[in-house]
Amino acid sequence: GAGVSQSPRYKVAKRGQDVALRCDPISGHVSLFWYQQALGQGPEFLTYFQNEAQLDKSGLPSDRFFAERPEGSVSTLKIQRTQQEDSAVYLCASSLFPDRAWGYTFGSGTRLTVV
Amino acid sequence: GQQVMQIPQYQHVQEGEDFTTYCNSSTTLSNIQWYKQRPGGHPVFLIQLVKSGEVKKQKRLTFQFGEAKKNSSLHITATQTTDVGTYFCAGNYGGSQGNLIFGKGTKLSVKP
């Protein structure tokens, strides 16, 4: 695709509900990243994939967060038993090569509100 | 842990004035990237700096990487209303290739 596509754009979840956020990276991009951005803050790293391999998940805040990229393209970030502190914008980014000289291309994000 | 500090948090300027935002790390960076996020938008990549003392220019924007690779700056000459947004630096420490550490950003507003 022309850009990184994320869905849904907005998600309201009741506390305790499970959610799944989808990311469609730019076709052929090897690297895929998930970031969490709270209001008025910079993006915070969650996890990184190179093709289907999850190379770094050190930023996932708890074991309620799980990400996968089974075929090396589309990725899903799943949050189980959502809490109010999970409310944020979840950004997905992709990059052509692991070398970040190209920078990351971010999607428009999914704004998650937990009520 | 590793942290990238960015100042100022906010900057209000009159159109035509210059603007500078600064990033600082307590430990040496492998490289640093800069992004711009318009209100309601997502971060857009501007540039990457890799070499000690590197200076790069993009029209009215000048990016610098310090000699010790611990600090960086973005300078905009003669701001325009189209420059409005939040500017983030993001540093990589050479470990995980994916783990960019973002600063909190500098929110720039430009009064016409």
Side-chain angles (χ1 to χ4, degrees), chain A residues 13-113:
Chain A
K14 291 185 178 178
R15 192 170 58 180
Q17 191 178 355
D18 297 350
V19 298
L21 313 180
R22 177 187 168 104
C23 174
D24 257 294
I26 293 174
S27 178
H29 274 200
V30 171
S31 301
L32 184 145
F33 316 88
W34 283 97
Y35 280 79
Q36 180 190 61
Q37 187 173 25
L39 190 64
Q41 301 295 313
E44 291 199 5
F45 172 79
L46 294 176
T47 187
Y48 160 53
F49 291 87
Q50 187 171 322
N51 295 307
E52 68 279 3
Q54 189 174 21
L55 298 188
D56 187 344
K57 54 181 181 179
S58 62
L60 296 175
S62 76
D63 58 8
R64 296 186 296 105
F65 287 70
F66 172 77
E68 60 183 3
R69 194 187 186 196
E71 297 177 359
S73 54
V74 171
S75 177
T76 303
L77 176 67
K78 298 179 180 177
I79 309 173
Q80 296 177 323
R81 304 181 303 281
T82 52
Q83 304 294 317
Q84 282 191 317
E85 61 262 27
D86 301 334
S87 296
V89 175
Y90 290 85
L91 294 165
C92 175
S94 70
S95 181
L96 182 58
F97 298 117
D99 176 349
R100 296 156 311 289
W102 305 96
Y104 297 178
T105 301
F106 280 87
S108 297
T110 294
R111 182 178 296 277
L112 173 65
T113 304

Side-chain angles (χ1 to χ4, degrees), chain B residues 85-105:
Chain B
T86 301
Y87 292 84
F88 293 100
C89 60
N92 183 276
Y93 292 87
S96 161
Q97 291 186 350
N99 195 349
L100 269 185
I101 308 292
F102 278 77
K104 292 189 182 297

